[in-house]
Amino acid sequence: MTEQPANTPYTSGMLSNDADRERDRLDSIQRSVDAFTTTLLDGLSLEASWNCLELGAGAGSIAYWLADRCPNGRVVAADLDTRHLDTHRAANLEVQEADITSEDFAPGSFDLIHARYLFCHLAERDEMIARATRWLSPGGWLIVEEPYHLPADTSPFPLVQRILDAYQRTYREHGADMTWARGLPSLLARNALTEVAFAANPGCMGGLDKDRWLPLITQAAPTLLADGLLTEADLAEFATLLKDPAFIDIPQVTISAWGRRPGETPNAQA
């Protein structure tokens, strides 16, 4: 285990697990993205004996899914803060509190490494991708899923333009790059991974029960208000807009990219 850094975007401010409604934000992500993620993972033909690493495990849904799919292997769920993870969920699940920017897993340890909405927040994100590829066993897969925010001023809703501009500006000030995902396929290929492929999943704002953005904006609201980027009237108008069945917007897409370390297939018999 590694100690948490004293003051990073994940240990302070609106991105911290101490932030109000953080669990709501994580649950919203899981509800809206898990089906897409698990479909991609299924396409990699997981084996029951695979050893897997879930980076930035959050509330744990993908780590739990992997533990169920790989009962004869091992799943390491690593996160800077593990308070939302159930350490007793599965016998083959290992929850590890770790700062992955300083953690160094043994080379060739994992048949599958998955991360979602993590690398865009890291200062040395390109270098971390390179490091993760070294943790793969020969034939192992790295799959990374990151948000790609569409320009705020392209929304057809003036209020959403203001909200997204404030939201995106705050994330940039926290050091996040919400357009980095576009280069993921090339980055994987430059790190000598093969069979590189990618897919995209649009995110929904509005659409009544399809909305996943209310928990995100609710969590960010105190920071956005304190910084003078939004007003209480903006938030009230947004709450009203979400009740309109004709309000549907696409503020971002999730870009998922994956590639394979050359070599034998994971856990292949000699």
Side-chain angles (χ1 to χ4, degrees):
M1 291 186 182
T2 58
E3 294 184 358
Q4 295 182 15
N7 187 21
T8 73
Y10 281 115
T11 56
S12 63
M14 75 178 194
L15 302 182
S16 167
N17 275 290
D18 289 326
D20 290 341
R21 312 294 292 275
E22 170 63 4
R23 182 59 193 244
D24 291 345
R25 185 186 74 87
L26 294 174
D27 288 343
S28 173
I29 290 172
Q30 293 183 163
R31 286 193 304 270
S32 60
V33 189
D34 274 5
F36 179 72
T37 296
T38 55
T39 297
L40 296 179
L41 291 171
D42 265 332
L44 302 181
S45 301
L46 280 71
E47 299 288 342
S49 59
W50 277 14
N51 295 318
C52 306
L53 174 61
E54 177 71 6
L55 293 171
S61 62
I62 299 302
Y64 304 152
W65 185 90
L66 288 170
D68 182 64
R69 291 299 303 274
C70 304
N72 301 325
R74 176 176 70 119
V75 176
V76 177
D79 203 298
L80 198 61
D81 188 320
T82 60
R83 74 183 71 180
H84 300 298
L85 295 170
D86 181 359
T87 58
H88 304 294
R89 182 64 175 255
N92 61 332
L93 176 68
E94 176 186 333
V95 173
Q96 182 171 345
E97 188 172 284
D99 173 12
I100 70 159
T101 62
S102 59
E103 183 72 30
D104 205 4
F105 296 96
S109 297
F110 299 102
D111 306 307
L112 173 75
I113 299 174
H114 173 261
R116 188 171 66 190
Y117 302 165
L118 171 67
F119 286 92
C120 66
H121 297 286
L122 305 179
E124 298 181 347
R125 51 190 73 92
D126 286 13
E127 292 80 358
M128 283 305 307
I129 289 288
R131 187 185 300 179
T133 64
R134 296 193 289 272
W135 300 334
L136 289 172
S137 62
W141 291 96
L142 172 63
I143 176 167
V144 179
E145 304 185 272
E146 297 291 344
Y148 184 92
H149 280 209
L150 302 178
D153 62 3
T154 62
S155 171
F157 303 95
L159 172 64
V160 175
Q161 291 180 19
R162 297 197 301 275
I163 289 175
L164 289 181
D165 179 69
Y167 189 84
Q168 293 171 1
R169 182 184 307 182
T170 300
Y171 267 81
R172 285 194 302 271
E173 291 173 353
H174 277 82
D177 186 342
M178 295 302 190
T179 61
W180 173 77
R182 182 172 180 170
L184 261 174
S186 178
L187 182 58
L188 298 183
R190 291 201 306 273
N191 280 280
L193 297 188
T194 63
E195 302 180 51
V196 172
F198 57 91
N201 181 32
C204 183
M205 177 184 280
L208 299 179
D209 61 349
K210 297 181 178 65
D211 176 74
R212 64 150 292 200
W213 275 79
L214 179 58
L216 308 187
I217 300 304
T218 299
Q219 187 202 45
T223 298
L224 302 180
L225 291 170
D227 291 345
L229 299 176
L230 289 181
T231 66
E232 292 284 2
D234 289 328
L235 296 177
E237 184 181 349
F238 184 57
T240 299
L241 193 59
L242 287 172
K243 299 174 184 177
D244 181 353
F247 170 54
I248 303 172
D249 200 1
I250 306 170
Q252 72 173 47
V253 295
T254 295
I255 295 179
S256 305
W258 57 95
R260 194 175 203 177
R261 179 179 171 183
E264 296 180 354
T265 56
N267 290 319
Q269 295 296 318

